[in-house]
Each structure stands twice: as structure tokens, then as C-alpha cells.
Amino acid sequence: MHEPYINIYQTARESSGLTQERAAERIGLSVESIRMYESGRRIPPDDCVVRMIDVYDARYLAYQHIKENVKVSESFIPQNIEIRDLPSAILRLQKEVTDFLKCREEMIEITFDGKITEAERPRWGVIVKELDDVSAAIMCLKFAKETEN
């Protein structure tokens, strides 16, 4: 049996504990608009998503909205963000920064002349991937779940 379709807007709303009716009221939308966004029949405009983020207290929704709805996001934002607890997110960032620092000298050597030669290009790709991993770890930390006291 297939699980029901749950999209990012519905997940964020449900995580906040709001009903569609209460969410619509607090965001300033009709319940029908909420239903359209949550069923995937319409994509909410950015200003609406900003209100959802505030009302739902769901910063991660901004990342998800961009990732799912902006074509160029595949090339320019990290694609491997995951929600982690705060200690795990810190450790991931430390690991990724350490990995990147291993490439630092080579990065300087490759780029000091302002050009990347064809011979340098494969290694440059590895360095850029390390930078992407650091970016993803930073985003992971930004969205990390804090421990409740």
C-alpha cells in the first residue's frame, strides 16, 4: 500500500501543530490556498512561504522551497542537507572543514595565477566538492535541532 503524499508545506504545518484552518488564519490565506499548496496543485509565492516559515517556525522550509521550486538551485545550493541534532551538526562541520583544509595548499597552488589549466581541472573539481561539503555542513548547522531542556 502506498503512503499518502505529504509535501514540504504540509510537513512544516503539521510539525508546528497547526490545523489548515488555523494556519490559513495566521498566514492570512484561505484554507483552499493552503490545501492547494499542500496537495501540490499550486506552488506558494515566496512571500507566502516567508509567512509560513514565521508562523510554522520552520526555517528549513526556506531551503526546501528553493530546492524544489528553483531550477538553478541544483547547481548552486547544497543538495545534501539533512536535519541533525546540534552536536552532530557541529561535528559534521568540523569534519568537513578539516577535510577542506587538507586541500588548502593545493587550492592556492592551482589558483595563484588566476587560471585553472586542463591538467589542474580534475583536482580543482575535488577541491570544489570539498567546498560544497563545507557549505552543506554550514546549512546543516543552521537548521540543526536544539535539545529541549
Side-chain angles (χ1 to χ4, degrees):
M1 185 168 221
H2 295 286
E3 293 200 21
Y5 171 76
I6 298 179
N7 76 5
I8 60 174
Y9 311 106
Q10 182 178 356
T11 300
R13 178 186 55 76
E14 289 177 349
S15 293
S16 74
L18 294 173
T19 63
Q20 287 182 334
E21 292 76 16
R22 184 74 177 125
E25 180 182 300
R26 293 193 56 202
I27 295 168
L29 296 171
S30 68
V31 174
E32 184 57 29
S33 290
I34 294 284
R35 286 188 182 121
M36 296 287 273
Y37 301 148
E38 291 185 1
S39 69
R41 289 180 287 181
R42 284 187 30 211
I43 298 170
D46 293 345
D47 63 324
C48 180
V49 175
V50 169
R51 291 193 310 273
M52 287 177 179
I53 291 163
D54 290 339
V55 168
Y56 302 160
D57 190 25
R59 295 174 307 164
Y60 188 63
L61 182 57
Y63 166 78
Q64 291 175 301
H65 175 74
I66 292 167
K67 183 179 173 189
E68 285 194 12
N69 298 299
V70 179
K71 277 258 189 246
V72 297
S73 70
E74 290 178 21
S75 301
F76 297 101
I77 67 167
Q79 297 296 302
N80 57 339
I81 306 297
E82 52 197 42
I83 300 292
R84 294 181 175 208
D85 59 49
L86 195 55
S88 174
I90 289 286
L91 288 173
R92 178 178 179 196
L93 179 58
Q94 288 178 324
K95 178 220 176 287
E96 298 302 349
V97 168
T98 298
D99 289 350
F100 169 72
L101 289 175
K102 293 174 187 172
C103 302
R104 184 175 176 269
E105 293 300 319
E106 189 172 16
M107 179 183 67
I108 292 168
E109 185 63 33
I110 289 172
T111 61
F112 82 97
D113 61 357
K115 298 178 233 163
I116 301 170
T117 67
E118 284 307 309
E120 295 167 330
R121 197 135 319 264
R123 193 62 195 141
W124 179 249
V126 171
I127 293 167
V128 169
K129 188 211 175 289
E130 291 297 340
L131 284 169
D132 288 343
D133 290 347
V134 171
S135 295
I138 290 168
M139 297 287 284
C140 181
L141 180 58
K142 284 180 75 169
F143 300 126
K145 294 183 288 187
E146 294 181 36
T147 310
E148 294 182 23
N149 292 333

